[in-house]
Amino acid sequence: SLHLPPGGRDRLRAILEAVTFPEDFCANTFTVEEYAVDSAIALGDLSLTASAARHYIPGYAFRLETGEGADQRSLAYSGDTAPSPGVTALARDCDLFLCEATLDEPEDREMIGHCTPEQAARMAAEAGAKRLVLTHFWFGTDTAAIGERARAAGPVPVDIASDGLQITI
């Protein structure tokens, strides 16, 4: 299946038309569906929930869950977002919160769309996340310093995403 955000079918159709592909190009290979924001969908043994992120263009954060009761495991992924109550709520009590930490300084303008390490750490703490992994850095970013800033801003254990990083939850 190909799961698209709300309005995604129309956007996909426009892209296919622009590159002169037939409208049913993806439908020949995938079941094309649009997901509903804040509603879980089943993907085999997983449950996926999307929530609106706070970004310059429409963007979404996701939560994946598997298992039940004491065996339940969860991963929340912020996508590109500025601090957002909706993303924080989506990450509530998750085992692992993968959150972007792109900025050195908070954005100070009307349209915002990214976090600092401190903002990511505060969202993780407010959500009650068990672990935070920071991602989405500019090339050459001092990731050790990013990690220290996030650790100083909140109580949630912090790791830094890197190529090949594997985490079992």
Side-chain angles (χ1 to χ4, degrees):
S1 289
L2 176 60
H3 296 275
L4 301 172
R9 279 191 177 110
D10 289 339
R11 290 185 188 123
L12 179 60
R13 190 176 302 113
I15 291 168
L16 293 172
E17 182 179 311
V19 294
T20 65
F21 280 34
E23 185 176 316
D24 64 351
F25 179 78
C26 291
N28 287 329
T29 306
F30 303 104
T31 302
V32 180
E33 303 174 29
E34 289 185 6
Y35 53 80
V37 175
D38 298 323
S39 294
I41 59 172
L43 300 173
D45 293 342
L46 297 173
S47 172
L48 176 74
T49 304
S51 183
R54 188 173 181 192
H55 195 54
Y56 318 118
I57 60 173
Y60 299 90
F62 296 94
R63 182 182 180 111
L64 283 167
E65 294 179 310
T66 188
E68 294 181 23
D71 293 329
Q72 185 176 37
R73 299 290 179 260
S74 56
L75 163 75
Y77 172 55
S78 71
D80 282 357
T81 192
S84 162
V87 174
T88 302
L90 186 77
R92 179 87 47 231
D93 299 323
C94 67
D95 293 294
L96 181 65
F97 182 29
L98 182 61
C99 189
E100 72 117 291
T102 305
L103 302 175
D104 283 330
E105 298 292 328
E107 292 173 296
D108 184 22
R109 56 184 177 211
E110 188 175 326
M111 289 187 66
I112 59 177
H114 293 285
C115 289
T116 64
E118 294 84 0
Q119 290 170 325
R122 285 193 291 273
M123 284 198 319
E126 187 178 328
K130 294 180 182 84
R131 188 171 181 186
L132 172 63
V133 175
L134 299 177
T135 189
H136 199 289
F137 313 114
W138 296 109
F139 179 76
T141 295
D142 181 351
T143 56
I146 294 286
E148 289 307 312
R149 289 174 55 187
R151 287 180 196 99
V156 178
V158 176
D159 291 301
I160 303 297
S162 60
D163 292 346
L165 176 67
Q166 295 181 20
I167 297 174
T168 302
I169 53 176

